[in-house]
Amino acid sequence: MATVELRDIRKTYSDEEIIKGVSLTIHDREFVVFVGPSGCGKSTLLRMIAGLEEITAGELLIDGVRANEKGPAERGLAMVFQSYALYPHMNVYRNMEFSLRLAGMPEAERRQRIADVARILQLEPYLDHKPGQLSGGQRQRVAIGRAIVRNPKVFLFDEPLSNLDAALRGQMRVELATLHRRLGATTIYVTHDQVEAMTMADRIVVLRRGVVEQIGTPLDLYHRPRNLFVAQFMGSPAMNVLPAHIVSVTDRTATVTTGPLTVTVPVHAGSLQPGAAVTLGVRPEHIGLDMAGAPQGLVEISERLGAATLLHVRLSDGRQIVVQTGGDNMNAPDSAVGVTPDPAHCHLFDADGVALDHLAAHPLQVGS
Amino acid sequence: MTRKRARLRRIAIGGAAWAVALWVFFPILWMVLTGFKTEPDAISTPPHLIFHPTLSSYREVFARETYWHFALNSVAISVLASIAAILLSIPAAYAMAFLPGRRTRGTLLWMLSTRMLPPVGVLVPIYLLARGMGLLDSRTGLVVIYTLTNLPIMVWMLYTFFREVPIPILEAGRMDGATRWQEITQVLLPLALPGIASTGLLSMILCWNEAFWSLNLTSSAAAPLPTFIASFSSPEGLFFAKLSAASTLAVAPILVFGWLSQKQLVRGLTFGAVK
């Protein structure tokens, strides 16, 4: 049982507020990912939970007990660093043993624990090796092993995969997810990579400039982004956003036009009146091609990914959008196409970038 | 064409390096050669490049003075002063490297500036202090002086080496439950060992070669090798061959020491710690 609760946590460095009041409860066994662009404060927030950075204001509770004043080791957390931060002068065994030795654990028990962890992580052949003799993936596993042996309440990961190449990153992602299922430990994971966030998280916390933009399950964030920032940050390729204005509203829809496109989106328009400027957001995978009707744009580039094709279409008003179609779509550059956004999957954002309430029920009935 | 030019360039750079090295080494070479000459050979002009080598100067040096007494003083004072300075500079450099405050930079520069002070400027107060504390002609006195004069440069060097240790490794130690003391002794020091060794070596060399304070604060009982050399410039005149033999004997140990430890010092600080 391990919960982490953040109550209006703030961090100030020489008069500049880096973390501007974050409140959040991380439940037992939950895998929570902090994601955001560089400089959003996600690593600082993690380091504050770890005890490596002082908390300027607010309260941190671990298992319901205030931990602000506790040292890193007293908090019962283990951290995996971006750079792995293995002790280069100790072999793999000693690296994993270090914390146990400091805690005064009897040698027989230490040996048993390390043997167990080494087996789980397939590190048995490398126990005598120094970190310098290991590959990136192996070092990563040692770093994880060093965290696991301590049997911590909470695992903290600070961009652990960013030093690995793409193939290894994919593999380690699966390994980490498997490990989390197996150990069932509460995990806080920091990354700037929204794919990692989407694939591993139970819940994602999107941060920007020290402020939580949205908290939710991966599909929550994908289907119901609360604002333009989250909408564009989550999902790959990124959502198309087009400046538009409202043509007409009913109590369950708003009809907008942008360039050659007119879409009736099932949203609650609130106080917005016809003529109001809004932003239309639609993901590349939610735009269809209409080859029968009047063409609305020209294909400029087609990126063939095998499983899908990304068409970069220049609309007749000069704006460019990306349309994701089937892998075998044969539209070549310069072919004229019509595009049809799926209204149920379109998003409207007001002038401040805040999403209008969506009224269409999503197939997964997500919502928070 | 370009290959030939690259070769010429290499030869030119190599030649220049040799020229500089010889230029620097020449006085030492000349000193060693002079030590094997007779006194008339040593002062003849133009100098004799070809001469009959003799050990007579060395025999006289050993006959007249107690070389081993001075050498032992040099070893004891250099080693003790270096150990003391290392022990004092490690915590100072740790604080400056990992817990810097607003004044750390200024303090570092101020410490270095004390090295620029001409020692003779503080000769009288230090002499009086040493006399008052009964530290004249005592090894303890020189150990204290050498420790303090070398401290700034050693703190600087260790500070530089410590700064190369990746901070996440120390933080990992903290997460693993290391106290400050354990963090320093079990994580930082093993990582910075090559740096600490070279800092210690530099301190040894500086202490060994120091002449000003040893000449002014010691006479016989605690006198190290520089005093031994100085004793060969007597009122009766300079005996260059004997002076050279004595100087050669004085610098030989530290030269050999430096040469042996050279390989040890040229080692990477961290290998495979962080990607």
Side-chain angles (χ1 to χ4, degrees):
Chain A
M1 181 71 192
T3 61
V4 178
E5 194 180 341
L6 281 65
R7 288 186 187 161
D8 197 28
I9 295 271
R10 288 166 193 277
K11 177 76 188 176
T12 311
Y13 282 120
S14 51
D15 300 340
E16 199 191 340
E17 202 167 45
I18 306 293
I19 302 290
K20 298 165 184 162
V22 171
S23 297
L24 164 73
T25 303
I26 296 157
H27 307 294
D28 187 36
R29 295 170 171 265
E30 199 176 17
F31 196 121
V32 169
V33 175
F34 293 171
V35 71
S38 54
C40 70
K42 56 192 187 297
S43 280
T44 307
L45 196 56
L46 189 79
R47 292 168 55 80
M48 286 161 87
I49 296 172
L52 296 172
E53 297 277 352
E54 217 171 289
I55 297 169
T56 313
E59 208 170 28
L60 170 73
L61 296 106
I62 297 172
D63 277 344
V65 180
R66 183 179 159 98
N68 289 41
E69 290 77 22
K70 287 188 181 177
E74 296 167 282
R75 298 187 186 193
L77 320 172
M79 182 151 164
V80 176
F81 291 82
Q82 178 175 10
S83 57
Y84 317 143
L86 301 177
Y87 309 121
H89 56 297
M90 301 183 196
N91 64 23
V92 170
Y93 185 90
R94 295 260 168 223
N95 259 282
M96 295 202 276
E97 189 196 29
F98 191 62
S99 63
L100 307 181
R101 203 153 41 87
L102 292 180
M105 184 184 281
E107 167 148 26
E109 202 181 332
R110 294 201 304 251
R111 203 175 307 138
Q112 185 56 48
R113 277 239 202 145
I114 293 167
D116 290 345
V117 170
R119 196 177 52 249
I120 294 174
L121 295 172
Q122 293 150 31
L123 284 171
E124 283 155 320
Y126 309 109
L127 287 176
D128 295 333
H129 289 41
K130 292 261 179 79
Q133 299 167 285
L134 302 176
S135 70
Q138 288 163 343
R139 283 180 210 173
Q140 176 68 73
R141 278 209 283 277
V142 177
I144 294 168
R146 191 173 61 176
I148 297 176
V149 282
R150 298 179 48 199
N151 215 353
K153 290 183 199 164
V154 181
F155 283 107
L156 309 176
F157 289 92
D158 189 5
E159 307 218 15
L161 305 185
S162 56
N163 283 341
L164 303 176
D165 61 49
L168 200 52
R169 198 155 56 221
Q171 187 191 328
M172 286 306 294
R173 221 162 55 203
V174 176
E175 278 188 39
L176 279 176
T178 313
L179 200 65
H180 177 248
R181 282 192 54 163
R182 180 168 179 168
L183 301 172
T186 309
T187 303
I188 307 175
Y189 187 106
V190 163
T191 180
H192 64 269
D193 180 351
Q194 56 91 22
V195 176
E196 272 174 39
M198 290 290 286
T199 50
M200 303 206 289
D202 292 323
R203 275 195 306 158
I204 297 175
V205 178
V206 183
L207 287 155
R208 178 170 61 155
R209 294 193 204 116
V211 176
V212 174
E213 293 285 342
Q214 191 169 357
I215 304 175
T217 66
L219 290 181
D220 240 358
L221 267 53
Y222 176 80
H223 288 297
R224 294 291 177 267
R226 193 177 290 164
N227 55 43
L228 207 46
F229 174 77
V230 177
Q232 287 187 283
F233 193 78
M234 304 306 293
S236 170
M239 182 185 278
N240 296 297
V241 292
L242 298 163
H245 62 267
I246 293 185
V247 181
S248 63
V249 293
T250 70
D251 54 349
R252 295 195 61 81
T253 62
T255 304
V256 298
T257 72
T258 170
L261 304 175
T262 300
V263 195
T264 300
V265 187
V267 292
H268 184 64
S271 61
L272 291 179
Q273 297 298 316
V278 290
T279 302
L280 171 70
V282 56
R283 297 190 185 280
E285 55 271 38
H286 296 144
I287 305 177
L289 283 184
D290 177 12
M291 305 310 291
Q296 288 148 318
L298 281 181
V299 174
E300 288 207 320
I301 291 169
S302 102
E303 291 181 282
R304 302 195 180 283
L305 305 178
T309 302
L310 300 180
L311 299 178
H312 295 249
V313 177
R314 177 78 60 191
L315 295 178
S316 57
D317 65 341
R319 298 186 191 281
Q320 202 187 42
I321 60 167
V322 179
V323 179
Q324 182 175 325
T325 63
D328 301 325
N329 188 289
M330 292 326 277
N331 278 298
D334 290 334
S335 46
V337 292
V339 292
T340 52
D342 174 0
H345 285 106
C346 283
H347 306 264
L348 288 182
F349 304 93
D350 67 16
D352 297 326
V354 178
L356 304 186
D357 282 347
H358 219 285
L359 298 173
H362 181 262
L364 290 171
Q365 281 296 336
V366 291
S368 58
Chain B
M1 179 65 194
T2 49
R3 232 167 137 184
K4 200 173 162 190
R5 274 180 62 169
R7 218 188 107 150
L8 278 174
R9 207 177 126 86
R10 257 207 320 275
I11 291 171
I13 290 174
W18 272 102
V20 170
L22 280 176
W23 176 266
V24 171
F25 184 65
F26 184 76
I28 296 170
L29 177 72
W30 196 248
M31 174 187 81
V32 174
L33 289 178
T34 308
F36 289 103
K37 289 178 181 174
T38 58
E39 288 297 346
D41 269 347
I43 55 168
S44 68
T45 40
H48 290 178
L49 286 174
I50 296 162
F51 60 94
H52 190 70
T54 168
L55 284 173
S56 65
S57 296
Y58 283 90
R59 264 195 295 276
E60 278 189 55
V61 166
F62 277 116
R64 197 175 107 185
E65 288 290 348
T66 46
Y67 169 77
W68 294 110
H69 167 72
F70 288 101
L72 194 70
N73 277 342
S74 267
V75 171
I77 292 167
S78 302
V79 168
L80 286 175
S82 297
I83 291 174
I86 289 266
L87 290 180
L88 286 173
S89 51
I90 284 174
Y94 174 88
M96 288 175 171
F98 301 115
L99 309 162
R102 215 171 302 163
R103 292 194 192 84
T104 300
R105 196 85 206 149
T107 310
L108 273 167
L109 286 172
W110 169 76
M111 283 178 61
L112 201 64
S113 72
T114 61
R115 285 288 299 184
M116 297 164 196
L117 181 79
V120 72
V122 289
L123 174 60
V124 173
I126 289 204
Y127 185 88
L128 293 177
L129 272 173
R131 196 183 62 182
M133 296 166 83
L135 292 176
L136 282 183
D137 202 13
S138 83
R139 291 182 194 173
T140 315
L142 277 193
V143 167
V144 170
I145 293 277
Y146 288 180
T147 303
L148 294 179
T149 51
N150 288 338
L151 208 50
I153 200 148
M154 294 180 71
V155 170
W156 256 98
M157 274 184 80
L158 284 184
Y159 168 80
T160 315
F161 284 118
F162 285 179
R163 292 262 303 215
E164 282 180 42
V165 172
I167 290 174
I169 296 181
L170 302 182
E171 289 179 337
R174 239 168 281 164
M175 292 298 296
D176 274 349
T179 60
R180 185 83 72 195
W181 173 252
Q182 288 166 327
E183 180 188 323
I184 294 177
T185 55
Q186 301 192 36
V187 183
L188 176 65
L189 293 190
L191 287 178
L193 204 56
I196 294 168
S198 49
T199 308
L201 175 72
L202 181 79
S203 166
M204 287 284 292
I205 293 171
L206 288 174
C207 293
W208 192 277
N209 294 338
E210 205 288 327
F212 181 79
W213 293 111
S214 62
L215 287 176
N216 282 300
L217 298 179
T218 63
S219 52
S220 58
L225 285 167
T227 317
F228 172 70
I229 302 173
S231 71
F232 281 87
S233 66
S234 58
E236 304 98 73
L238 283 171
F239 295 96
F240 277 112
K242 277 194 278 298
L243 193 59
S244 297
S247 300
T248 306
L249 284 171
V251 299
I254 201 75
L255 261 176
V256 172
F257 176 64
W259 192 41
L260 289 179
S261 48
Q262 193 178 328
K263 250 183 210 154
Q264 220 97 345
L265 305 175
V266 194
R267 256 181 69 200
L269 252 183
T270 51
F271 20 106
V274 285
K275 170 103 189 281

